[in-house]
């Protein structure tokens, strides 16, 4: 860790704010390219409740768990909250955005990226290695094996694909080791950026104001700055920086707008009809993908369906409903111990593996988990609260709602998936309460990317339109977010940004 004195100023080529996946990818790439780099991370290696308290904020609109609970200040960022148990540690599931996610959609005027899927694909492939995953392959044909064949006749609206699983350690630890071993990197933990200062002309960030424990205040001056602090904090720092009433990079009022989440729906239950039906679904169990990485099958909306029906993107995974066997009762499914399903997810809805189910436990069916896209809406936005945190920085205030456009798409997705499973011969469908779970912790969209500054905060190179040396990394720049866990796309965009900065040397 770097050292600093109270009131002093450290100078560097590039100052990166945040040591989550986005910040670590940029820092590692720039350091390898010869830049002198300072990384500022509000947290440290261990959890610190005092530091976490800086995440407190206000929420309004539809129910949302809060801003403290859904993000984390620690080396590794939000990966510290991952809770999926897989071989090799704790991790998460990965998949890229779909090609259609980058395109303009008639029903969503704010959709469309200033790049194509093909533009980002080379960076996805590089990100795949950084994340410790297998080959860049996410279609079912790349991963099925004997006894684990994907369904081929479910419905024309759906197709089988996979998630790959990767551990936090395989993503974060190699980069931290590389940074700690580099002579041109200074990684400062417990260094919270309060605001950014601009030069007299207002076109360049001149330095970052930093606070450390004990009330120490200091500064970092740099030629280039990268904010990689997450969608909430990136927007908050812009809003409370600069000299004007609207903050930095906010001349057209887009900073903080179009906040998006990935809500989940668990209202569909598939009751299995037979032992044969269970065996047909083993591709959708967690299993070793060609002995490379754990994968799990999922049901995806086809591109034709999304274009024809105008639905937002979504994905369905099958979570087993496990119950004890009843003495004297005959089960068509049979004991868990007779099937590979003994390593399925726990029924609580996470993706931790259950290697020790109760003796005689059986699968009675599956909860169908829908991961849903939310459309960008300017009224879903982050602003500054009148309350201040312990460092005298205005707290974040989030107004979030699940809009009619989002709900109409969810209802259509539920109908498509329910109908397809009913026609599959696997069993019967039960429809329960359609309570929405909005807390996937996938914050996105608050500093959206657009070629025209009238509709976004950063350009296609992730540079803030109104500033010459400020760049943003992470899901805050997503114009739309699909349904997918964002880490692979975050890493790909961070590599793309790193290449742009390296080309400036």
């Amino acid at each position: 860790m770097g050292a600093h004195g109270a009131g002093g100023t450290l100078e560097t080529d590039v100052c990166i704010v945040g040591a989550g996946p986005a910040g670590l990818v940029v820092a590692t790439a720039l350091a390898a390219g010869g830049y002198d780099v300072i990384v500022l991370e509000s947290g440290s290696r261990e959890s610190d409740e005092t530091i976490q308290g800086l995440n407190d904020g206000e929420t309004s609109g539809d129910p949302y768990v809060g801003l403290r609970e859904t993000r984390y200040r620690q080396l590794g960022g939000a990966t510290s909250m991952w809770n999926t148990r897989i071989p090799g540690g704790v991790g998460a599931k990965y998949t890229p955005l779909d090609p259609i996610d980058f395109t303009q959609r008639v029903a969503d005027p704010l959709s469309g990226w200033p790049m194509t899927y093909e533009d980002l694909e080379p960076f996805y492939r590089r990100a795949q290695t950084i994340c410790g995953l297998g080959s860049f392959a996410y279609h079912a044909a790349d991963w099925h094996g004997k006894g684990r064949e994907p369904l081929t006749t479910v419905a024309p609206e759906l197709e089988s694909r996979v998630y790959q699983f990767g551990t936090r350690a395989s993503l974060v630890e190699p980069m931290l080791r590389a940074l700690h071993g580099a002579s041109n990197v200074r990684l400062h933990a417990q260094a919270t950026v309060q605001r950014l200062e601009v030069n007299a002309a207002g076109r360049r960030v001149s330095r970052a104001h930093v606070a450390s424990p004990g009330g120490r205040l200091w500064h970092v001056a740099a030629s280039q700055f990268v904010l990689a602090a997450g969608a909430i904090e990136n927007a908050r720092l812009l809003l409370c920086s600069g000299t004007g009433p609207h903050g930095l990079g906010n001349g057209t009022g887009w900073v903080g707008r179009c906040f998006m989440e990935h809500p989940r729906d668990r209202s569909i239950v598939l009751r299995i009809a037979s032992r044969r039906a269970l065996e047909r679904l083993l591709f959708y169990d967690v299993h070793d993908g060609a002995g490379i990485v754990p994968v799990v099958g999922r049901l995806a909306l086809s591109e034709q369906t999304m274009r024809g029906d105008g639905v937002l993107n979504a994905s369905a995974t099958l979570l087993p409903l496990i119950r004890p066997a009843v003495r004297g009762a005959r089960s068509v499914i049979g004991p868990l111990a007779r099937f590979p399903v003994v390593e399925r997810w726990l029924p609580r809805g996470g993706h931790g593996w259950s290697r020790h189910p109760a003796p005689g436990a059986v699968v009675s069916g599956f909860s169908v988990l829908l991961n849903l896209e939310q459309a960008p809406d300017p009224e879903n936005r982050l602003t500054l609260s009148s309350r201040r945190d312990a460092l005298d920085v205005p707290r974040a205030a989030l107004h979030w709602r699940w809009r009619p456009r989002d709900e109409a798409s969810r209802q259509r997705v539920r109908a498509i998936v329910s109908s397809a499973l009913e026609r599959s011969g696997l069993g019967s469908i039960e429809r329960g309460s359609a309570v929405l779970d909005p807390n996937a912790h996938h914050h996105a969209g608050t500093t959206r990317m657009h070629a025209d500054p009238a509709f976004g905060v950063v350009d296609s190179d992730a540079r803030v339109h109104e500033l010459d040396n400020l760049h943003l990394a992470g899901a805050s720049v997503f114009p739309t977010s699909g349904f997918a866990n964002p880490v692979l796309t975050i890493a790909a965009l961070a590599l793309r940004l790193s290449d742009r900065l390296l080309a400036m040397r």
Side-chain angles (χ1 to χ4, degrees):
M1 304 293 177
H4 50 80
T9 298
L10 299 181
E11 296 185 356
T12 187
D13 294 330
V14 182
C15 175
I16 299 170
V17 181
L24 291 177
V25 170
V26 175
T28 305
L30 296 187
Y35 270 120
D36 187 78
V37 177
I38 287 179
V39 182
L40 303 174
E41 168 54 46
S42 182
S44 60
R45 171 69 75 167
E46 304 300 327
S47 174
D48 185 319
E49 283 302 306
T50 300
I51 294 295
Q52 269 296 97
L54 299 175
N55 281 339
D56 281 335
E58 301 171 5
T59 60
S60 60
D62 290 340
Y64 193 73
V65 72
L67 300 183
R68 178 171 181 159
E69 294 83 356
T70 55
R71 56 200 181 116
Y72 218 78
R73 294 177 186 242
Q74 191 170 334
L75 291 174
T79 67
S80 303
M81 305 172 69
W82 288 0
N83 59 5
T84 299
R85 294 210 162 270
I86 57 176
V90 176
K93 58 185 187 291
Y94 288 82
T95 189
L97 292 174
D98 293 325
I100 193 174
D101 293 324
F102 293 83
T103 64
Q104 176 73 47
R105 298 179 304 223
V106 174
D108 300 295
L110 292 176
S111 61
W113 288 52
M115 69 181 74
T116 66
Y117 174 88
E118 289 72 23
D119 292 331
L120 197 57
E121 183 175 329
F123 301 98
Y124 269 136
R125 292 182 180 277
R126 288 166 56 187
Q128 193 85 1
T129 300
I130 288 173
C131 295
L133 303 173
S135 59
F136 186 66
Y138 288 88
H139 289 277
D142 301 307
W143 297 100
H144 73 85
K146 185 174 177 55
R148 289 186 185 274
E149 293 83 11
L151 297 171
T152 57
T153 58
V154 180
E157 300 94 338
L158 300 174
E159 54 190 55
S160 292
R161 299 185 191 169
V162 301
Y163 291 114
Q164 294 186 35
F165 287 92
T167 65
R168 176 186 187 278
S170 64
L171 169 63
V172 172
E173 296 305 325
M175 291 190 288
L176 287 178
R177 286 194 298 270
L179 295 179
H180 282 301
S183 61
N184 57 336
V185 176
R186 286 165 283 177
L187 174 56
H188 295 268
Q190 294 186 309
T192 303
V193 175
Q194 298 172 292
R195 65 185 182 91
L196 302 176
E197 181 182 334
V198 294
N199 65 0
R203 287 294 309 182
R204 294 184 66 83
V205 175
S206 55
R207 60 181 187 167
H209 292 239
V210 188
S212 288
R216 290 173 294 168
L217 302 176
W218 50 290
H219 307 91
V220 175
S223 299
Q224 302 290 336
F225 287 82
V226 177
L227 291 188
I232 300 295
E233 205 64 18
N234 278 359
R236 182 169 83 141
L237 280 172
L238 290 178
L239 290 171
C240 65
S241 295
T243 56
H246 304 297
L248 280 182
N250 198 28
T252 56
W254 282 101
V255 172
R257 293 189 183 274
C258 295
F259 174 88
M260 294 171 285
E261 255 283 12
H262 283 151
R264 297 168 292 197
D265 179 302
R266 295 183 176 89
S267 62
I268 303 169
V269 171
L270 170 63
R271 293 295 177 189
I272 293 297
S274 67
R275 173 174 169 173
R276 172 57 184 154
L278 177 62
E279 292 172 341
R280 287 178 61 198
L281 290 172
L282 290 180
F283 177 78
Y284 306 90
D285 184 11
V286 178
H287 58 284
D288 288 336
I292 302 171
V293 293
V295 300
V296 65
R298 63 183 182 87
L299 295 173
L301 293 177
S302 69
E303 183 169 318
Q304 180 180 356
T305 298
M306 285 183 276
R307 291 194 184 282
D309 285 22
V311 296
L312 297 164
N313 211 339
S315 180
T317 45
L318 303 179
L319 305 179
L321 299 172
I322 301 173
R323 61 171 176 77
V326 178
R327 181 176 298 220
R330 185 171 178 270
S331 170
V332 296
I333 307 302
L336 276 173
R338 295 171 60 184
F339 298 95
V341 80
V342 295
E343 293 182 350
R344 277 188 177 272
W345 302 310
L346 293 174
R348 64 174 178 270
H351 292 283
W353 288 19
S354 177
R355 291 185 176 275
H356 304 289
V362 297
V363 176
S364 61
F366 295 91
S367 172
V368 181
L369 174 64
L370 301 179
N371 293 91
L372 303 165
E373 178 181 9
Q374 180 172 31
D377 189 301
E379 296 308 309
N380 286 338
R381 67 180 299 197
L382 184 96
T383 57
L384 296 180
S385 167
S386 59
R387 298 169 53 233
R388 291 179 174 262
D389 65 20
L391 299 178
D392 200 33
V393 177
R395 294 193 181 277
L398 174 67
H399 181 74
W400 179 85
R401 288 191 58 214
W402 185 242
R403 307 282 172 175
R405 162 69 172 128
D406 306 319
E407 181 60 18
S409 178
R410 174 169 74 134
Q411 294 298 336
R412 180 62 183 137
V413 169
R414 291 176 69 219
I416 289 171
V417 173
S418 296
S419 176
L421 291 175
E422 279 182 323
R423 299 196 309 266
S424 69
L426 294 166
S428 60
I429 290 295
E430 298 173 1
R431 295 172 180 83
S433 172
V435 175
L436 192 72
D437 172 12
N439 300 297
H441 308 171
H442 296 170
H443 304 160
T446 57
T447 62
R448 66 193 320 266
M449 181 184 289
H450 201 284
D452 185 344
F455 296 99
V457 178
V458 301
D459 64 17
S460 60
D461 291 333
R463 180 184 62 82
V464 175
H465 282 291
E466 299 172 19
L467 294 154
D468 297 329
N469 69 334
L470 180 59
H471 311 264
L472 303 186
S476 70
V477 306
F478 288 14
T480 56
S481 62
F483 73 88
N485 295 50
V487 177
L488 191 62
T489 304
I490 287 172
L493 287 173
L495 287 169
R496 188 174 183 272
L497 170 59
S498 300
D499 280 5
R500 297 296 190 275
L501 292 171
L502 287 169
M504 296 168 60
R505 282 185 65 81

